[in-house]
Amino acid sequence: MNTFATVKEVNGKYAVVEAERRSACDGCHKNTNGEGCAMCKIFGGNAKVSARARNTVGAQVGDKVEIESSSARMLGYAALVFILPIVLAVVSYFLFLPILGEGFAALFAIGAFVLSFFVIAVISKLFLTDRCDIDIVKIIK
């Protein structure tokens, strides 16, 4: 996945880049003035996102650059955050349903859903904090 960004800070072999997050409303008929629809305004559809990227091309602060990230890895992160909690809740519900009945199974499902976010936070803190999945591939002149 490639997008364009601006270098905001350079720290050795890494740089902090800022990119405009693509709005889900880009093709929407309600996006006539380029500001997005009401839902994008509420949820920050046109917000900017900062990330750390490997600076293998020697970009400097203020440079416009093209950045690249692995689509498969980004989809994996999305699955971890969005799908794992639902899967754990459903598995928990059906695991406890025959043992405890519907009411308690639902409570355990809710508990598993909430607990999964703590597990994701721990995984992120332990294994993903220092990982850099974005590369600067080209300086745009």
Side-chain angles (χ1 to χ4, degrees):
M1 184 168 83
N2 288 21
T3 191
F4 299 103
T6 304
V7 177
K8 294 297 180 182
E9 183 181 324
V10 176
N11 299 322
K13 63 180 182 175
Y14 296 102
V16 176
V17 295
E18 183 178 76
E20 283 192 31
R21 188 172 70 182
R22 292 188 181 140
S23 172
C25 301
D26 280 345
C28 179
H29 68 281
K30 293 183 180 181
N31 190 17
T32 56
N33 60 1
E35 295 179 12
C37 66
M39 291 308 286
C40 281
K41 289 179 185 174
I42 291 170
F43 293 112
N46 292 328
K48 294 188 179 201
V49 164
S50 293
R52 185 174 70 142
R54 275 187 223 87
N55 187 8
T56 56
V57 297
Q60 298 299 317
V61 174
D63 286 348
K64 303 286 185 200
V65 294
E66 182 177 349
I67 58 175
E68 179 180 71
S69 60
S70 166
S71 294
R73 183 163 286 162
M74 295 302 142
L75 287 173
Y77 291 151
L80 179 70
V81 172
F82 294 110
I83 296 173
L84 180 66
I86 293 169
V87 168
L88 288 179
V90 170
V91 167
S92 175
Y93 177 80
F94 287 110
L95 182 69
F96 288 104
L97 182 62
I99 301 168
L100 301 173
E102 192 172 323
F104 283 112
L107 287 175
F108 274 93
I110 292 168
F113 183 79
V114 171
L115 182 65
S116 67
F117 289 106
F118 290 109
V119 171
I120 291 168
V122 168
I123 289 170
S124 176
K125 185 74 172 167
L126 291 177
F127 301 110
L128 304 176
T129 301
D130 293 331
R131 186 179 210 146
C132 185
D133 296 322
I134 301 171
D135 293 308
I136 298 174
V137 294
K138 173 168 53 170
I139 299 173
I140 308 298
K141 300 283 182 199

